[in-house]
Amino acid sequence: MTEPAFRWGLLGAARIARALIPAIREAGGEVAFVGVRDPQSARAQAFAQEWGVRVAGTYDDLITADVHAVYNPLPNDAHLPWTLAALRAGKHVLTEKPLTLNAAEAQQLADAAAQTGGTLLEAFAYRFQPHILRIVELVRGGTLGEVRSVHGAFGFHMTNPDDFRWNAAQGGGALFDVGTYPVNLMRLLLGEPQAVTAAARWTPAGAQAGTGDIDVALSGTLDFGGALGSLDCAFDWTDPSFSRLTVVGTLGTLDVPRVYHSHTHEPVTLHLNVGGQESHEEFPPSNGYARMVAHFQRTARGQEAALYPPADAVAQARVLDALYASARTGARVTLTPDA
């Protein structure tokens, strides 16, 4: 017998939800409901009509609706309360990055997922892209020799003064947005860093639409005990979206532009130089969102083990906490496996 469709509910009508709806459908799921702050608003009704979904009502109505899973793309400060509520309502939850505002909150969600038996995944769709899997294979497999340096950069020019990412109270800032990607990929390639240092350019209190200062740009160094990782992220670069990874090893180098994109519309090319011999590997356009959703649904149904369990999101949050602490104080911050 054919399994019934995996039913999803969306928290809010955020722009990122527009990427997830086609991905859910491509993965064989059903987008059943959307929950919004004001169910009667013209914006909510227009969204529902455009995408062919029903308005369940408010966020509270959505998490108790007849769905298997909830997708939470709300502003960063709303990740903890609504993901927690959805887990406690018996739902599986896919939550946008960063999972929470700090490691303590991430651990709270990991504990809730363990207690309820729900699947919880931090939505780094880029990890499911074929070119990322190949990068992991090359680096971990020793093609480049022993890794000495990894540099990750991701930034863009954010022009909307009302975007929540300018707001410190809502978890704004470059590190929590674009900076999470190079941190996450470095961890995927090299494991957990032993220590970090960082510096940032901050907005003054009250600047833009914010209520406090956020990191407009942040640069950091991650010490992996033999390999060094460097990170650059920003909201004020002139390029509409600059994304790059460079890996240097004892046997060769790897350079990948546009590396963190979760849905590529143009080919992604890996540029290799091993032993003085250059080569290039091209990957066609691919939808990492659909691949992520398909894995999430299989995990929730007990058909395969989670590639990235909640403990991974907790470890990610520890590194972000350390980078922010270093950027605030100027001090090197040491991490331990059980910090």
Side-chain angles (χ1 to χ4, degrees), residues 224-249:
F224 290 93
L228 290 176
S230 57
L231 155 75
D232 290 300
C233 60
F235 284 158
D236 61 356
W237 290 352
T238 55
D239 195 307
S241 181
F242 180 87
S243 164
R244 198 176 202 98
L245 172 78
T246 302
V247 184
V248 179

Side-chain angles (χ1 to χ4, degrees), residues 70-305:
V70 168
Y71 171 56
N72 183 353
L74 298 173
N76 296 339
D77 63 317
H79 289 181
L80 173 67
W82 289 108
T83 298
L84 187 60
L87 287 168
R88 289 175 174 170
K91 304 300 191 291
H92 305 289
V93 190
L94 176 66
T95 299
E96 271 303 321
K97 51 77 195 163
L99 184 70
T100 55
L101 299 183
N102 55 59
E105 291 183 355
Q107 187 63 59
Q108 189 177 350
L109 290 185
D111 291 344
Q115 292 162 5
T116 62
T119 294
L120 172 66
L121 177 64
E122 186 174 24
F124 278 114
Y126 89 95
R127 292 186 292 198
F128 295 85
Q129 292 282 49
H131 69 269
I132 295 295
L133 303 182
R134 178 60 174 153
I135 291 169
V136 172
E137 180 183 35
L138 289 167
V139 173
R140 291 186 182 175
T143 298
L144 305 178
E146 294 183 22
V147 176
R148 294 293 187 239
S149 171
V150 178
H151 177 241
F154 200 4
F156 68 104
H157 190 194
M158 187 162 65
T159 58
N160 179 8
D162 298 320
D163 195 297
F164 85 86
R165 289 171 290 184
W166 289 119
N167 192 328
Q170 290 187 284
L175 179 63
F176 269 169
D177 191 63
V178 282
T180 59
Y181 290 89
V183 169
N184 192 258
L185 183 51
M186 280 189 258
R187 291 182 48 252
L188 188 58
L189 297 175
L190 301 175
E192 301 304 327
Q194 298 176 1
V196 304
T197 56
R201 286 188 286 107
W202 308 93
T203 60
Q208 305 292 341
T211 57
D213 57 336
I214 60 107
D215 52 307
V216 177
L218 184 142
S219 295
T221 301
L222 291 77
D223 182 353
F224 290 93
L228 290 176
S230 57
L231 155 75
D232 290 300
C233 60
F235 284 158
D236 61 356
W237 290 352
T238 55
D239 195 307
S241 181
F242 180 87
S243 164
R244 198 176 202 98
L245 172 78
T246 302
V247 184
V248 179
T250 55
L251 298 179
T253 61
L254 172 66
D255 184 54
V256 190
R258 302 201 316 276
V259 64
Y260 307 108
H261 293 197
S262 297
H263 189 178
T264 51
H265 300 281
E266 298 177 359
V268 173
T269 303
L270 277 56
H271 303 277
L272 277 161
N273 187 321
V274 179
Q277 297 296 313
E278 292 187 4
S279 62
H280 310 278
E281 297 184 20
E282 185 172 283
F283 292 79
S286 175
N287 188 347
Y289 294 115
R291 295 171 185 271
M292 174 182 69
V293 168
H295 168 69
F296 180 93
Q297 292 176 165
R298 291 192 297 267
T299 301
R301 282 179 158 158
Q303 297 169 345
E304 65 186 46

